[in-house]
Each structure stands twice: as C-alpha cells, then as structure tokens.
Amino acid sequence: MGKNDFLTPKAMANRMKAKGLQKLRWYCQMCQKQCRDENGFKCHCMSESHQRQMQVFGQNQNRVLQGYSEEFESTFLDLMRRSHRFSRIAATVVYNEYINDRHHVHMNSTEWATLTEFIKYLGKTGKCKVEETPKGWFITYIDRDSETLFKERLKNKRVKSDLAEEEKQEREIRKQIDRAAEKLNTCDDDDDDVEKKKDEDLLRLKSGVKVGFSLGGGIKQAVTTGGQARGESSKHMFEDEEDERGEKRKQSGGDSERRSALEELMKEEEKKKERMNRKPYWLFQGIVVKVMSKALAEKGYYKQKGVVRKVIDNYVGEIEMLDSKHVLRVDQEELETVLPQIGGLVKIVNGAYRGSNAKLLGVDTDKFCAKVQIEKGVYEGRVIKSIEYEDICKLIA
C-alpha cells in the first residue's frame, strides 16, 4: 500500500477534516479546490496547475466572471423557487441552505462582493421582492413561469367576464325600472286628461241647474227650468261622482300592483346574484383577519390580527401579523373576519355584492347584521340594510 493511498490513515484523516464546510477565503474557484488553512492555500497558489488556470482566466476575465455570476444567480433562484416559492424569508436563511452543497459556486468568484449587493441586484432586476427590516434583508420570490402567468391571465379573464355579466344585468334592471317609471307617468297623464274631461262635462251639466242640500239628508231642487230636467241633471251628477271614486280606487290599485311587481323583479335579481356570487371561500388580499387557531397559541398568535398579503388556492392565506410582522400561512377555517369602526372601509367577501368595497354605516348587535353603502364599482351608492358579519371584513387603508 502506498504512502498516500485511499485507505491509508492519513488519507482517511484528510477526508474527515475536509468533510464539513471550510473558510471561503481559502477556496479556489478556478481549480475548485478547498484548502484547510492559509499555508495550504499559499502552496496551492504557487502550484503549476493553479498557474495554468490563472493564465486561462487572464485571457478573458469578464467572460469567466460573468459565467460564474450567472451560475450563482440561477442556482440561488432555483432554490428559492423549489423551497420558498410563496413565502417571505430572510436572505441569510436561503444563503445558508445554498452553501450546504459543497460544490456550489462561491460568491468570491462572482461580480458581487457581499450578499447585500446580490440581494439589491435581485430587487432592481425584479426577480425578487426585497425588503430591508431591523432584522435584516427579507426576500420574496416573484414567480414568472409561463404556467403561472397563463393561470393568472385565465383568472383575470374570468373576473372580467363576471364583471361584464354583472354590468349587463344591472343595465337590464335599470332599463326595466325606467320603462316602469315611464308607464306610471303616462298612466298619470292619461288620468289627468280623463279628470279634466269629466270636470268639463260636469260644468256643462250644471249650467242652468241649481242643487241644494238640507241637514236631514234630503235634496231640495230649486226650480229654474222644468222639473224633469232638474231630476235628470242631479241623477247624472251623482252617477259621475261614483264613477270618479271607482276609477281612483282602480288607479291606486294599479300603481301598487306595478310597484309590487317591480319590487318582486328586483328581489329575484338579488337572489340570482346571491346564488352566483356565494362561494365556499372568502379570503381577499388586503383585508384584516383574526387568527383563531389554538395550535398557534403557544407562539402568541391566537386572537391576534393580521393582513392577508396573498391568497393561495382560494382557501389559504399568507397573513402578515400587525404586531410582530411575522408571515404565517393559515387556512380560512382558522381565521375570522374583523369589523372596523362605524364609517370605516370594508370589503364584501361573500354574497351578491362579493368583491365590492363599502362603507360601514351601522351595526345591529341583536341580529348580527350590519348596514353598508357600496363605495366603488357598478353598484356605487347602493345601501345594503342588512348584511351578515361573516360577509364583510375590514379593509386596510
């Protein structure tokens, strides 16, 4: 067995020493060799193999440096996409996971001298969302894969088509209301014309006839013309008055029928919208929720409020806690809606007006309902007198 063979005690000791990570300053990227101490690194730099590699590097420095930088960036982003695709995480945590691989591209061979410079570069190029906090740099991966972009486009198309259908329904309802109002106006005008004609007929009948009433209820007719003419004229008058009363009753009955038909039509439309927009999920980005998971009580998150920063698969939300700024992933079953003070902004998270922003006008604690007025959108200005607590949630300003 030779002096430096694979199974010699010295070779085995050297392998055991080189098992873990060594210092970065004693690593040669061109030769891909890790030295254990300063003396070993100095000896390696004086070796012929290292000198040959440095001659290759000197021929085209920028190209070699750019190649290592691209490899470092691509492997770092691959790790982000695989392990922390939807979460906000400290940059140092990701970097420590990255350097666990002994054969990774070291940062001293790239164009970035420090991790902070590299993180700032990712933020400037739009590959990650970068945030500086007192606890250090935090990054969030921005997913630009073709599959996710296609899904987002499909989702936006669905939302636009839903809005277009709602607008069409709203226009149809408004047209029907306008038609009903026009019919009411035309009926009122016709009734006025009929009344005017009747008044003219009465005036014609009264000409030459004088009618008097006694306290006992009898009718005294003063003779100005023949008795037969007087009897006929009084009879016509009482018949006309009875006809007027009957027509007024019919008119009021017709108006109430039209109004009730209009109200029924609007109620049917409301029920239709309620069926269409009532979903089993209610999470929206930007709303304030309360964590009700008792499993998180030990860590101090139970009954604490947070803001929904992202919705994953409709049922899971990424919650940024208001106090600690920690980011949690919680299912909607373990969350609860929050109501603001009266006059505050809310998001209608479920029901007929799902997705609309509204203003809280009042609260009925006995019926667990609230009164809101829609602020923006197709239904702007509409007041909903009774909406359940679960269907509205505080919107962050």
Side-chain angles (χ1 to χ4, degrees):
M1 189 177 287
K3 194 175 182 180
N4 292 319
D5 285 344
F6 184 75
L7 293 175
T8 58
K10 187 175 180 180
M12 290 172 71
N14 288 340
R15 283 199 301 277
M16 286 174 72
K17 288 177 185 176
K19 207 175 221 182
L21 292 172
Q22 306 293 321
K23 287 192 177 180
L24 184 63
R25 59 181 175 174
W26 295 333
Y27 182 82
C28 176
Q29 184 68 54
M30 287 296 295
C31 303
Q32 294 184 358
K33 181 175 177 60
Q34 175 71 59
C35 300
R36 286 199 296 274
D37 54 17
E38 190 176 357
N39 187 35
F41 187 69
K42 187 177 179 181
C43 293
H44 170 71
C45 291
M46 293 170 64
S47 64
E48 291 182 10
S49 60
H50 180 76
Q51 295 296 328
R52 284 195 298 270
Q53 291 292 336
M54 292 309 294
Q55 286 177 4
V56 173
F57 177 75
Q59 289 174 3
N60 198 342
Q61 300 177 15
N62 294 330
R63 185 177 177 183
V64 175
L65 197 65
Q66 187 178 0
Y68 283 132
S69 301
E70 288 175 358
E71 189 178 351
F72 178 84
E73 182 186 345
S74 64
T75 49
F76 190 90
L77 290 175
D78 284 341
L79 177 65
M80 280 287 295
R81 185 169 59 251
R82 286 195 310 270
S83 304
H84 311 286
R85 191 167 190 166
F86 301 109
S87 58
R88 172 179 170 269
I89 192 166
T92 52
V93 174
V94 184
Y95 183 70
N96 288 331
E97 291 179 5
Y98 172 76
I99 63 175
N100 278 336
D101 180 15
R102 284 188 62 202
H103 302 290
H104 69 275
V105 177
H106 289 63
M107 190 173 279
N108 62 357
S109 61
T110 64
E111 61 188 49
W112 305 288
T114 61
L115 181 62
T116 304
E117 288 182 15
F118 177 63
I119 296 304
K120 287 180 179 177
Y121 162 79
L122 292 178
K124 286 178 184 176
T125 52
K127 292 171 183 175
C128 286
K129 185 181 175 183
V130 177
E131 186 180 355
E132 187 178 8
T133 66
K135 293 183 179 180
W137 289 90
F138 281 79
I139 53 177
T140 308
Y141 181 71
I142 299 173
D143 199 352
R144 298 187 183 277
D145 290 346
S146 58
E147 186 178 350
T148 53
L149 290 173
F150 180 69
K151 285 180 180 177
E152 284 182 5
R153 286 192 201 117
L154 282 177
K155 187 178 179 182
N156 292 333
K157 280 183 182 177
R158 281 193 220 103
V159 170
K160 286 179 182 176
S161 63
D162 291 341
L163 287 173
E165 286 179 4
E166 287 181 2
E167 287 178 1
K168 284 179 183 177
Q169 289 176 358
E170 190 66 21
R171 285 195 212 106
E172 287 177 2
I173 292 168
R174 284 178 182 169
K175 285 178 182 177
Q176 289 173 357
I177 292 169
D178 292 338
R179 284 175 199 154
E182 286 176 4
K183 286 180 181 177
L184 285 172
N185 292 330
T186 52
C187 289
D188 291 339
D189 294 338
D190 294 339
D191 292 335
D192 292 338
D193 294 337
V194 170
E195 285 178 2
K196 284 179 183 177
K197 287 179 182 178
K198 285 179 180 176
D199 291 338
E200 290 174 1
D201 294 338
L202 281 170
L203 288 171
R204 284 173 194 162
L205 287 169
K206 283 181 182 178
S207 60
V209 178
K210 195 172 184 181
V211 180
F213 296 93
S214 65
L215 292 171
I219 301 171
K220 294 181 181 178
Q221 297 177 357
V223 179
T224 54
T225 58
Q228 188 177 358
R230 286 198 298 268
E232 289 177 358
S233 63
S234 63
K235 190 176 179 182
H236 281 299
M237 278 183 63
F238 286 113
E239 286 177 357
D240 291 336
E241 285 176 2
E242 288 176 0
D243 292 339
E244 282 180 17
R245 288 172 191 163
E247 285 177 1
K248 282 180 181 177
R249 284 172 194 156
K250 288 179 184 177
Q251 182 183 348
S252 61
D255 293 344
S256 61
E257 285 176 3
R258 288 190 200 98
R259 283 173 192 152
S260 63
L262 200 69
E263 287 172 0
E264 285 177 5
L265 185 66
M266 291 178 73
K267 283 179 182 177
E268 285 177 5
E269 290 295 329
E270 290 282 339
K271 288 178 182 177
K272 189 177 178 182
K273 278 190 280 186
E274 177 73 22
R275 285 195 301 271
M276 285 176 62
N277 294 331
R278 177 66 61 179
K279 308 286 184 186
Y281 49 86
W282 55 269
L283 286 178
F284 277 86
Q285 191 173 351
I287 61 174
V288 180
V289 293
K290 187 185 285 186
V291 178
M292 301 302 291
S293 174
K294 291 185 179 179
L296 299 172
E298 295 178 359
K299 297 181 181 179
Y301 298 125
Y302 183 59
K303 289 193 176 180
Q304 296 297 313
K305 294 178 184 177
V307 182
V308 179
R309 294 299 181 192
K310 194 172 185 180
V311 180
I312 302 164
D313 298 332
N314 296 326
Y315 292 93
V316 180
E318 275 194 5
I319 316 298
E320 183 182 349
M321 306 308 293
L322 294 177
D323 296 333
S324 60
K325 300 296 180 184
H326 293 167
V327 178
L328 312 175
R329 260 190 207 179
V330 189
D331 192 88
Q332 70 170 14
E333 294 294 329
E334 298 176 337
L335 297 173
E336 195 176 77
T337 57
V338 175
L339 292 183
Q341 294 181 350
I342 292 173
L345 277 177
V346 294
K347 169 83 79 175
I348 300 176
V349 295
N350 220 336
Y353 302 96
R354 177 187 173 89
S356 302
N357 295 345
K359 183 180 179 182
L360 185 64
L361 301 179
V363 175
D364 188 349
T365 54
D366 296 331
K367 297 180 181 178
F368 301 101
C369 293
K371 182 180 179 182
V372 297
Q373 182 179 14
I374 297 175
E375 290 284 306
K376 294 179 182 179
V378 183
Y379 310 107
E380 185 177 357
R382 180 168 292 183
V383 177
I384 305 169
K385 294 181 180 179
S386 179
I387 186 169
E388 293 183 1
Y389 289 165
E390 290 81 8
D391 291 346
I392 59 173
C393 191
K394 181 180 178 181
L395 192 63
I396 194 161

